[in-house]
Amino acid sequence: MRLEQLQAFLAIAQTGSFQQAARQCGVTQSTISRQIQGLEADLGVELFHRTNHAKLTLGGERLLPRVRKICQEWETATQELADLVAGKQPELCIAAIHSVCASYLPPVLQKFCHNYPDVQLRVTSLGSDRSLKVLKDGLVDLAIVMHNRFLITGREMAVEVLYEEPIEVLTAANHPLAQHEAIPWSDLIQYPQVVFKDGYGMQRLIQDRFERLEATLHAALEVNTLDAFRGVVRQGELIALLPQSALIEARCDPSLAVLPLACNTNLADNSSLTRRVVMVTTQDRLQIPPIQHFWQLVKENIPPQLDQKLSAS
């Protein structure tokens, strides 16, 4: 059974004529006849009384509502796919890490809404692991996350590196560490910290650095918003290790201090602590015009000139 057979059957039922149905379907009358004969052979029942007027048999009457529904579903599906390829999708769903949502993403969202006013833009602030999961589950179209090579591998994935940024220390303005110009790791590891919840890339990054130092991370509290980090650290006891883009508002707060980390001579490679932020989607999604446009906007606008961003703050 083929779709064109069902379409031929429906056309004949609607017009009452093999000849008119052939004209409607853009084929010859003999083609329409063969399609119906093939359909009747597959079903084992005659569908039309062969008279001057093509009248449905009892079997044809029973089949008609089902065929009408199948053809309508097919027409809807093909129209939806055509709209998708033409960039007429109803919404675009984005998942992004908190610091990007709070600082770099708003101007991009405004530009996209201006360029695609008919596309409903939906943005969710999530940790990296969760963002990538909802992307792979098809719940969002694009994710901006902390790089994790174990989660973004696969030929179907499209990955764009956006920027790499240093990790800095957030303390209360009156905290003992705030007296440093750059905080040594030997001093930092002595203080309890507020950290991201499990499942966030930042938590793994910091935990890995403490393990390399053979030190214990004293995680006194777990939170998952930048407001919560600032609120807790402002109380004076706990400190936090956060990426530079997450500390833009904290730099304007006189009750807080943001300080760089001193290079660690205890590590063999003497490496600084940084994180890489990437944009991820799938290759097939990247062919859809609104997603492709959003991808390009992010490439052109994230990050903005960080020095300008910090000075403007």
Side-chain angles (χ1 to χ4, degrees):
M1 187 181 302
R2 301 190 306 274
L3 178 64
E4 58 265 26
Q5 292 175 322
L6 299 181
Q7 291 171 329
F9 168 78
L10 185 59
I12 298 169
Q14 290 173 338
T15 63
S17 164
F18 277 69
Q19 185 178 18
Q20 291 182 42
R23 190 178 301 116
Q24 181 176 306
C25 294
V27 297
T28 63
Q29 185 171 339
S30 60
T31 298
I32 284 283
S33 297
R34 284 196 301 272
Q35 289 172 339
I36 297 304
Q37 289 171 1
L39 183 59
E40 290 175 330
D42 289 339
L43 297 173
V45 62
E46 285 192 354
L47 300 173
F48 294 99
H49 296 292
R50 266 56 169 192
T51 62
N52 292 336
H53 183 78
K55 184 179 179 181
L56 288 168
T57 63
L58 179 60
E61 290 176 353
R62 293 286 179 87
L63 183 64
L64 179 59
R66 304 291 185 181
V67 171
R68 185 180 288 121
K69 186 175 181 180
I70 291 170
C71 290
Q72 181 59 53
E73 285 293 320
W74 176 255
E75 183 177 338
T76 300
T78 54
Q79 185 59 54
E80 288 179 353
L81 290 174
D83 289 345
L84 181 66
V85 172
K88 297 179 181 178
Q89 65 185 88
E91 63 181 21
L92 175 62
C93 299
I94 308 296
I97 51 180
H98 299 278
S99 57
V100 170
C101 285
S103 56
Y104 298 158
L105 201 53
V108 173
L109 302 180
Q110 184 176 6
K111 290 179 181 179
F112 179 86
C113 290
H114 175 76
N115 296 336
Y116 278 88
D118 295 330
V119 176
Q120 176 69 52
L121 191 57
R122 301 184 185 277
V123 182
T124 304
S125 181
L126 297 171
S128 294
D129 291 3
R130 181 63 180 165
S131 293
L132 289 171
K133 184 180 187 307
V134 295
L135 174 66
K136 290 184 176 181
D137 289 345
L139 300 178
V140 301
D141 299 300
L142 185 147
I144 302 176
V145 298
M146 182 173 159
H147 181 264
N148 184 332
R149 63 186 179 89
F150 298 107
L151 296 180
I152 57 177
T153 55
R155 295 178 60 184
E156 78 282 5
M157 306 302 289
V159 182
E160 178 76 21
V161 176
L162 297 177
Y163 59 92
E164 190 156 342
E165 61 182 342
I167 307 303
E168 297 181 305
V169 185
L170 178 66
T171 74
N174 59 358
H175 194 281
L177 289 179
Q179 307 307 312
H180 291 277
E181 290 187 5
I183 299 178
W185 280 91
S186 57
D187 290 351
L188 181 137
I189 62 177
Q190 299 176 27
Y191 291 93
Q193 294 191 31
V194 53
V195 299
F196 274 107
K197 291 182 177 181
D198 187 32
Y200 284 74
M202 275 300 302
Q203 189 200 64
R204 287 196 303 273
L205 181 69
I206 294 169
Q207 184 64 57
D208 178 69
R209 179 51 60 99
F210 270 73
E211 290 175 359
R212 292 176 63 192
L213 290 168
E214 298 181 350
T216 300
L217 172 62
H218 300 289
L221 182 65
E222 292 184 353
V223 298
N224 66 346
T225 69
L226 302 182
D227 285 341
F229 272 100
R230 291 190 295 268
V232 170
V233 170
R234 192 178 288 117
Q235 303 308 307
E237 296 182 8
L238 302 182
I239 64 172
L241 285 167
L242 292 170
Q244 193 175 62
S245 60
L247 294 166
I248 293 173
E249 290 190 28
R251 295 178 190 275
C252 304
D253 190 330
S255 67
L256 297 170
V258 178
L259 302 118
L261 286 162
C263 290
N264 194 344
T265 56
N266 292 335
L267 293 179
D269 57 5
N270 195 26
S271 60
S272 58
L273 185 60
T274 63
R275 76 157 180 185
R276 180 173 295 174
V277 175
V278 298
M279 177 168 53
V280 187
T281 187
T282 53
Q283 295 288 351
D284 60 325
R285 286 188 177 94
L286 201 51
Q287 308 306 311
I288 307 303
I291 301 175
Q292 188 179 73
H293 184 69
F294 190 90
W295 180 276
Q296 191 61 35
L297 282 177
V298 171
K299 285 176 60 177
E300 293 172 356
N301 294 276
I302 296 182
Q305 291 297 319
L306 191 57
D307 291 342
Q308 295 178 10
K309 187 82 174 177
L310 296 180
S311 62
S313 304

